[in-house]
Amino acid sequence: MKRLTQTYFAIFSLLLALLTGCGGERMRQRLQFVAACNEADTVFTKAWQPTVDSLVDYFRSYCSANERMTAYYLQGRVRQDLREIPQALEAYQHATEVADTTRDDCDWHTLYAVYGQMVSLFQAQFLPDNQMKALQEAERVAWKGKDTLAALVAFDLRSRPYHLKNLTDSVLIIEKQARERYLKYGYKDKAAQAILGSISILLNRRRYAEAKRYMQIFERESGWYAADGNTMAGKVLYCYDKGRYLMAMGQLDSALHYFRQTVAAGKKEAGYHGLMTFYERKNKPDSIAKYAKLYAAANDSAYLHVNQEKVQQITAMYDYTHHQHKAAEESEKARMREYAIVGILVVGLLLAAAAHARHKRYKTAKIAEINRLTADYQASKTDRDRLEKMLAAFEDTQAENEKLKQELRSEIGSLNARVQEYEARFRQVRGDERLEALRESEIASLFNQKKRHTRKNSVPSDAEWQQLAEAFAHYVPSFTATIAKEKQLSEQERRVCLLQYLDFSTGEAAILLGTTAQAVTNAKSRANHKLFSEEKASTLGRNLKKISIV
């Protein structure tokens, strides 16, 4: 049936092309007009949708691969401006699929723009892996099109997915490589701009000498630093980082100036945080309270009513791959219905024309055949209308879900920033204070209670052992990292190390592990040998305490 309907559609397309040959030029002019509006940064509204959809319908079957790609690209741009993100991504995906990259006349510029739009959407949707793939394709396309600067920019933007995944080491590497590449091709200003994200990371890590060197390069060569040395053209957060650096160097009054600039430029969350830390250094309680309130207010709206369970639900709500499959199925069904309708009409026309030329003895049979085909056509049309109504109802629900998803994704980004801030603050707590907090934790207290009982049901469960290991990872990560490196440690040996670090005696460890004191002593001896190359069980605790808490 599918092959037959495709044959009918091909015949119908040929007839239509012969009858409306002049229509092709009008469609090309319309395509060029929409493309020009897009180049002029037109914000597309709902009124543009029928136009771009008709372009896609036309160029899907006629003209060159470049025109087909452009039609899909413009359809994606309209969908994107209408905030129909899955549909926009679907159109961009179609554009990449119809592009003929084997031809010398391939429109590399438009194909690069397609991947560029996909990159921005994946960034907004917090899909770093998809974004990285799109950036790699964009870079490949740019080199194919001999656009060196575009290729360098695509490589430079690879730092964004790593930012989303909080892989700061990778961000530093990518931005350093991007700078080197820009310099190689003579783009000194962009080489300086490429390291902007590294400055914040280096400040977070208190690598002030490196941060200072990068800041000097940025201010001297980026072209974004104003002549008066006070304002940044479009890079307001640099003012905040500059203030942070000056605070670290003890230049408090200069830091205050940059924090106020940050607030004035609209970045209130960062600016108020900087002002709060400034007045903490100045030990001015009234000002601390004032800016702590302002800072909290800037954060509260983003973090209110959000928890980890909601984050997981939000992530599960959006599955772009699933949408692609569903959209492809619906598209195929719609196309098959169109083929069937066109096929029926063509066959009906051919049969009607043949009926006039043939003998009357065929007339009755042919009329009956036409009636049968017409009945099939009406049935197909009825089914199509029913499915279209179902689809419209589904799309209405989908629009409401999209609004909720957009709001929740925004909350995810803000929550992630706050989590990173709390992690940075926790790393600044002294090691002895964190060790004391571990000893006073709820799970450690539970183990202290259980060690006083000898009943078998007092042995901690696997879940409780896991909670204790997670507490170690939180409060003394260096200890956990040391133990984790030694993959040959058995589960019992790792648990013995945890108890030994918390000063549990051999007898208490035997109760908690549900074994004998001799078995605990043997496990301590094995762990001491594997970790520190010592045979005695008695020195394990002392050796474990030598691991620095960072």
Side-chain angles (χ1 to χ4, degrees), residues 121-409:
L121 290 179
F122 288 137
Q123 170 79 12
Q125 300 302 313
F126 299 98
L127 298 171
D129 294 333
N130 301 70
Q131 185 182 14
M132 180 62 77
K133 292 177 183 178
L135 283 168
Q136 291 169 344
E137 287 299 314
E139 183 182 359
R140 181 184 65 83
V141 166
W143 286 122
K144 282 269 193 179
K146 298 181 174 54
D147 191 338
T148 301
L149 179 57
L152 296 176
V153 169
F155 180 84
D156 184 7
L157 292 176
R158 288 191 188 185
S159 63
R160 290 187 177 182
Y162 290 125
H163 268 299
L164 287 178
K165 300 172 80 171
N166 198 30
L167 300 176
T168 53
D169 287 336
S170 299
V171 173
L172 292 175
I173 292 171
I174 289 294
E175 292 194 352
K176 181 181 178 182
Q177 292 177 350
R179 170 172 169 74
E180 292 169 352
R181 292 188 179 198
Y182 279 130
L183 290 175
K184 177 182 177 181
Y185 289 95
Y187 296 102
K188 189 175 181 180
D189 56 341
K190 293 193 176 297
Q193 296 163 15
I195 58 176
L196 180 60
S198 298
I199 295 173
S200 179
I201 295 172
L202 293 172
L203 289 174
N204 290 339
R205 298 184 179 188
R206 301 186 180 183
R207 290 159 59 177
Y208 297 120
E210 294 176 70
K212 179 181 179 181
R213 182 168 62 86
Y214 273 22
M215 291 166 69
Q216 289 173 338
I217 293 172
F218 183 80
E219 293 179 6
R220 185 175 60 248
E221 301 174 7
S222 69
W224 284 343
Y225 201 75
D228 59 9
N230 291 325
T231 58
M232 293 296 302
K235 291 294 172 183
V236 180
L237 283 179
Y238 178 76
C239 292
Y240 173 64
D241 286 333
K242 179 85 173 194
R244 291 171 61 201
Y245 173 77
L246 292 171
M247 279 277 289
M249 297 298 102
Q251 301 177 36
L252 301 187
D253 292 339
S254 297
L256 176 62
H257 167 74
Y258 281 99
F259 290 147
R260 285 176 173 168
Q261 270 202 321
T262 305
V263 174
K267 296 295 181 181
K268 294 185 178 181
E269 181 182 344
Y272 289 146
H273 182 267
L275 290 169
M276 182 179 69
T277 57
F278 169 81
Y279 285 110
E280 286 174 349
R281 289 282 294 273
K282 287 287 191 177
N283 195 24
K284 292 186 176 181
D286 291 345
S287 297
I288 294 171
K290 172 185 175 182
Y291 287 108
K293 255 188 194 178
L294 292 171
Y295 174 59
N299 280 275
D300 282 349
S301 60
Y303 302 132
L304 196 60
H305 305 308
V306 176
N307 55 36
Q308 187 61 34
E309 181 181 356
K310 287 186 179 179
V311 172
Q312 294 172 352
Q313 292 173 350
I314 294 163
T315 304
M317 283 173 63
Y318 183 76
D319 186 348
Y320 172 58
T321 303
H322 175 70
H323 170 79
Q324 280 187 309
H325 290 320
K326 295 296 291 183
E329 291 174 3
E330 292 298 327
S331 176
E332 182 63 20
K333 289 177 181 178
R335 189 175 301 178
M336 289 302 300
R337 288 195 296 268
E338 292 173 359
Y339 287 169
I341 293 171
V342 171
I344 291 169
L345 290 174
V346 170
V347 170
L349 291 172
L350 293 175
L351 290 174
H356 288 288
R358 294 189 180 191
H359 197 271
K360 289 183 178 181
R361 63 189 175 90
Y362 295 107
K363 187 174 183 180
T364 302
K366 293 304 177 182
I367 291 175
E369 178 68 8
I370 291 172
N371 290 336
R372 184 184 64 79
L373 291 174
T374 301
D376 289 343
Y377 162 72
Q378 292 296 337
S380 298
K381 185 177 179 181
T382 300
D383 288 341
R384 182 198 63 186
D385 294 340
R386 178 175 55 83
L387 291 176
E388 285 179 344
K389 289 179 180 179
M390 292 174 61
L391 180 60
F394 173 79
E395 288 176 343
D396 288 341
T397 304
Q398 191 78 351
E400 294 176 2
N401 290 339
E402 280 299 323
K403 181 179 179 181
L404 174 61
K405 286 185 281 185
Q406 290 290 349
E407 294 173 353
L408 294 179
R409 287 192 195 100

Side-chain angles (χ1 to χ4, degrees), residues 391-457:
L391 180 60
F394 173 79
E395 288 176 343
D396 288 341
T397 304
Q398 191 78 351
E400 294 176 2
N401 290 339
E402 280 299 323
K403 181 179 179 181
L404 174 61
K405 286 185 281 185
Q406 290 290 349
E407 294 173 353
L408 294 179
R409 287 192 195 100
S410 175
E411 294 178 351
I412 290 175
S414 301
L415 180 61
N416 187 47
R418 190 169 191 178
V419 168
Q420 294 174 20
E421 178 192 341
Y422 284 167
E423 289 175 349
R425 288 185 181 179
F426 184 80
R427 287 193 292 272
Q428 296 174 5
V429 178
R430 294 204 319 267
D432 58 336
E433 294 175 343
R434 279 188 273 139
L435 180 57
E436 184 62 22
L438 171 61
R439 294 181 186 280
E440 296 297 327
S441 67
E442 183 178 351
I443 187 63
S445 299
L446 175 65
F447 272 67
N448 274 314
Q449 293 174 11
K450 286 182 176 286
K451 76 181 182 182
R452 301 187 182 95
H453 303 283
T454 57
R455 291 178 300 172
K456 187 174 182 180
N457 59 5

Side-chain angles (χ1 to χ4, degrees), residues 465-484:
W465 280 107
Q466 180 62 28
Q467 291 177 33
L468 182 63
E470 290 172 354
F472 266 81
H474 179 66
Y475 290 104
V476 284
S478 56
F479 174 83
T480 301
T482 300
I483 299 302

